[in-house]
Amino acid sequence: MRFAEPAPKPAPQRIGICPVRDVLDRIGGKWNALLIAALAEQPYRFGELRRLVPDISQRMLTQTLRDLQRDGYVSRRVFPTTPPSVEYSLTPFGRSMFGPLSAMMQWAEQNAAEVKAARARFDAESKAA
């Protein structure tokens, strides 16, 4: 006698282990997409990235680059100079992700005003309720 395969669990029970959420959490961080977009243009040294994104602290830039490196999107190359200089660039894996990310960034730019208007409507309706 053969038993039927168990039915897949409903989506709400699987959401906690969703690999998409894990990946998007990293890519969608406050500075991550901006740094990935910059590195898609060309490799940058740490100081150049710091000047390119003046609002980011040195500590946050370091941590964000380390996180992107850990996930395989960014490579770090140390040059044997005095003092040592470091250059960051996208890996082939990072480049493979940049296409979809770029499309999302374009969509966000095109729809930012609509999102802002929707938030304002929601906030006004919430205050009225």
Side-chain angles (χ1 to χ4, degrees):
M1 176 180 242
R2 232 178 123 160
F3 294 97
E5 293 290 321
K9 292 183 178 184
Q13 293 178 8
R14 291 188 313 220
I15 287 176
I17 57 171
C18 179
V20 174
R21 186 180 74 177
D22 182 47
V23 170
L24 290 180
D25 279 349
R26 178 74 72 216
I27 296 169
K30 183 175 182 179
W31 303 107
N32 302 21
L34 185 60
L35 291 172
I36 290 167
L39 293 171
E41 294 176 10
Q42 68 181 51
Y44 281 102
R45 292 187 176 174
F46 185 87
E48 292 172 321
L49 286 170
R50 182 86 195 276
R51 286 187 293 279
L52 193 64
V53 188
D55 296 346
I56 192 169
S57 70
Q58 182 171 335
R59 181 175 183 260
M60 183 54 66
L61 177 57
T62 299
Q63 186 59 53
T64 303
L65 288 168
R66 287 181 63 89
D67 290 344
L68 293 171
Q69 186 181 0
R70 180 176 179 243
D71 287 352
Y73 304 126
V74 169
S75 66
R76 178 179 186 266
R77 184 173 172 203
V78 179
F79 293 93
T81 59
T82 304
S85 59
V86 178
E87 183 179 83
Y88 294 90
S89 60
L90 283 187
T91 63
F93 183 59
R95 290 202 175 282
S96 76
M97 176 268 303
F98 181 67
L101 176 63
S102 178
M104 183 62 143
M105 292 170 74
Q106 288 175 345
W107 182 91
E109 286 179 18
Q110 293 167 355
N111 293 284
E114 188 171 336
V115 170
K116 189 175 182 179
R119 289 175 181 165
R121 282 192 306 275
F122 180 86
D123 292 346
E125 290 170 4
S126 295
K127 286 182 181 178

